[in-house]
Amino acid sequence: MQDDLRPFMPEQAIAHIATLLNHDKLSVKVKKERKTRHGDYKRLPNGHHQITVNSNLNAYRFLITLIHEIAHFEAYKNYGRVIKPHGIEWKRTFQHLMLPFINPEIFPLELLPLLAKHFKNPKASSDTDVNLAYALKQYDEPNDKTYIFEVPKGTNFKLYNGRVFKKGEKRVKRYECLEIKTGKLYLFNPNAEVEIIAANAEVS
């Protein structure tokens, strides 16, 4: 059974997406927000294939995530299970599937050069592309999350699991942050989403 995807993506993308999903053993489910991933793909024990995508994504991120997962299905169908999940076969498939969508009828003009650059060598997650992730975030519904690179040095912040850190120095590309409870140092990607803790808030 296929969930209705039309409310979640740009209208101009719907017809082409329907063509990509026209496979009797492939289904797509829209899920509630999952903190650790935007979507996933898996082959089911009965030989069918299932894609899931989070419902809380903005239309452009939802579309990119959906095509990312369709690329996993197509790569499996064409190359089998021995390939790496985000290896060259998946990259080429993702590039090929994404190309028709990178146009101003579907994405805002300001996103097009960032998408073109990203898809020269797509990564396992678009979140690792700081510029693209930040640009996509501008289309999110307002929320209390911010990126690490926007957090002032010395400010406390927390993750979705409640762990609290203090932002420190930047090391090349990532930021050194101190976990308050354990005193251990961790490195964060610049575009990791966190919640800033107010200066007068109690931290345990």
Side-chain angles (χ1 to χ4, degrees):
M1 181 178 176
Q2 197 93 319
D3 284 352
D4 185 2
L5 306 179
R6 289 173 295 181
F8 299 99
M9 69 176 76
E11 183 178 354
Q12 294 81 357
I14 292 171
H16 192 38
I17 285 293
T19 300
L20 294 180
L21 296 176
N22 186 23
H23 192 287
D24 59 4
K25 291 190 176 182
L26 175 64
S27 63
V28 180
K29 303 291 183 184
V30 179
K31 297 284 189 178
K32 292 181 179 179
E33 180 182 6
R34 292 164 292 181
K35 300 292 186 180
T36 57
R37 62 189 184 276
H38 295 317
D40 62 17
Y41 156 78
K42 60 184 175 182
R43 182 178 183 273
L44 303 175
N46 63 2
H48 288 226
H49 303 261
Q50 180 178 280
I51 287 170
T52 66
V53 185
N54 290 2
S55 62
N56 66 310
L57 304 179
N58 70 52
Y60 307 117
R61 193 183 290 276
F62 186 97
L63 179 60
I64 293 169
T65 301
L66 177 58
I67 299 171
H68 173 126
E69 305 305 341
I70 294 173
H72 281 301
F73 166 69
E74 291 290 344
Y76 179 92
K77 192 171 64 170
N78 293 328
Y79 301 102
R81 67 175 65 192
V82 297
I83 61 174
K84 294 180 180 179
H86 295 103
I88 189 63
E89 297 87 356
W90 171 82
K91 286 176 183 282
R92 288 174 177 168
T93 304
F94 195 11
Q95 289 170 323
H96 174 74
L97 293 179
M98 192 69 198
L99 189 59
F101 294 91
I102 304 178
N103 70 71
E105 292 184 358
I106 295 175
F107 286 98
L109 287 174
E110 57 267 26
L111 290 181
L112 294 180
L114 297 172
L115 288 166
K117 182 177 180 181
H118 178 79
F119 280 95
K120 287 181 179 178
N121 183 26
K123 303 293 190 294
S125 171
S126 60
D127 284 350
T128 60
D129 185 331
V130 176
N131 294 329
L132 178 58
Y134 184 71
L136 286 169
K137 181 179 169 66
Q138 307 315 303
Y139 298 92
D140 288 348
E141 293 291 329
N143 58 55
D144 56 3
K145 299 293 190 296
T146 188
Y147 286 132
I148 281 285
F149 77 84
E150 299 175 297
V151 176
K153 180 182 173 183
T155 301
N156 289 344
F157 63 87
K158 66 180 179 180
L159 305 182
Y160 67 88
N161 57 13
R163 294 169 67 186
V164 178
F165 296 81
K166 178 180 287 188
K167 182 181 174 183
E169 300 287 348
K170 186 177 183 180
R171 286 191 179 182
V172 190
K173 293 185 177 180
R174 295 189 291 175
Y175 289 91
E176 187 178 77
C177 301
L178 177 74
E179 185 174 19
I180 301 300
K181 185 175 182 179
T182 65
K184 293 182 179 179
L185 288 173
Y186 293 84
L187 293 176
F188 282 76
N189 285 326
N191 56 338
E193 282 194 320
V194 300
E195 182 179 344
I196 293 178
I197 298 175
N200 58 352
E202 189 173 319
V203 178
S204 58

